Amino acid sequence: SQKIEQNSEALNIQEGKTATLTCNYTNYSPAYLQWYRQDPGRGPVFLLLIRENEKEKRKERLKVTFDTTLKQSLFHITASQPADSATYLCALSPGGNNDMRFGAGTRLTVKP
Amino acid sequence: GAVVSQHPSRVICKSGTSVKIECRSLDFQATTMFWYRQFPKQSLMLMATSNEGSKATYEQGVEKDKFLINHASLTLSTLTVTSAHPEDSSFYICSARGSNTGELFFGEGSRLTVL
């Protein structure tokens, strides 16, 4: 069956450290993968998209990697801040039609 | 960035009544919108793909007669939960693709509570 797994339900780190979140998928061959941030009671907000032919993409303090052999994406937040505390979701579209399917998310807490 | 607006943000209704949720793209045209449902501490589950001017495409296990979707214009899609029951209580979120980059813009969500 098809699965999108984010291996940590919750992650607690100290301010200033790098947070690394993992997304693994099974029985998908996505052309691209996306990461979103969701705050409690709000809709998700798009962060980054990485295509299958891209190994790495950066945006400010964010970095995403995409390994289609391992079927895994890693999401890094460097120099983390308490304001980064949120749930981070990875998502992909099975058919490339933007019908995004989401992982369960990792709830990140950055402690001051 | 593109803005997607949902209304109402919260609704409480009695069991057996119907509830309509609106999703609007405010500054762009969306031929396709997506409706998701999210239960507490769970991820977003795609319910259906709403296509402007045609029938919605429902995901497996989602009752199309219970969750009526209408996409009558390029900026408005509606989800009507018919004969709502307590188990339909959830957070309903719509989204639309705003550009060629593939990113989705989400509404703020509508929290439905069925008593």
Side-chain angles (χ1 to χ4, degrees), chain B residues 11-17 19 81 84-89 112-115:
Chain B
V11 57
I12 301 172
C13 69
K14 292 182 178 180
S15 185
T17 60
V19 174
V81 183
H85 288 95
E87 58 265 31
D88 298 324
S89 299
L112 170 64
T113 302
V114 184
L115 303 176

Side-chain angles (χ1 to χ4, degrees), chain A:
Chain A
S1 62
Q2 294 177 316
K3 294 181 182 179
I4 302 171
E5 296 177 306
Q6 293 185 246
N7 63 339
S8 298
E9 182 177 332
L11 178 64
N12 298 317
I13 64 169
Q14 207 65 34
E15 182 176 9
K17 300 294 185 181
T18 296
T20 299
L21 286 65
T22 304
C23 176
N24 294 289
Y25 57 93
T26 306
N27 292 325
Y28 286 106
S29 296
Y32 58 86
L33 186 146
Q34 301 180 3
W35 284 87
Y36 289 80
R37 167 181 174 145
Q38 186 176 25
D39 291 286
R42 309 289 292 273
V45 174
F46 172 81
L47 295 175
L48 280 168
L49 178 153
I50 186 165
R51 301 189 184 281
E52 60 179 342
N53 60 347
E54 298 175 315
K55 296 295 184 185
E56 179 181 299
K57 182 166 272 189
R58 294 174 184 261
K59 179 182 177 182
E60 299 174 350
R61 293 184 296 112
L62 309 180
K63 184 179 84 171
V64 171
T65 62
F66 192 13
D67 189 325
T68 56
T69 301
L70 291 178
K71 295 186 181 296
Q72 180 182 81
S73 176
L74 299 179
F75 177 80
H76 307 271
I77 305 176
T78 59
S80 60
Q81 304 167 1
D84 295 327
S85 298
T87 295
Y88 292 86
L89 306 163
C90 70
L92 53 85
S93 172
N97 297 321
N98 297 302
D99 52 338
M100 305 304 293
R101 314 307 168 104
F102 286 80
T106 296
R107 188 174 66 255
L108 174 67
T109 302
V110 181
K111 299 182 179 181

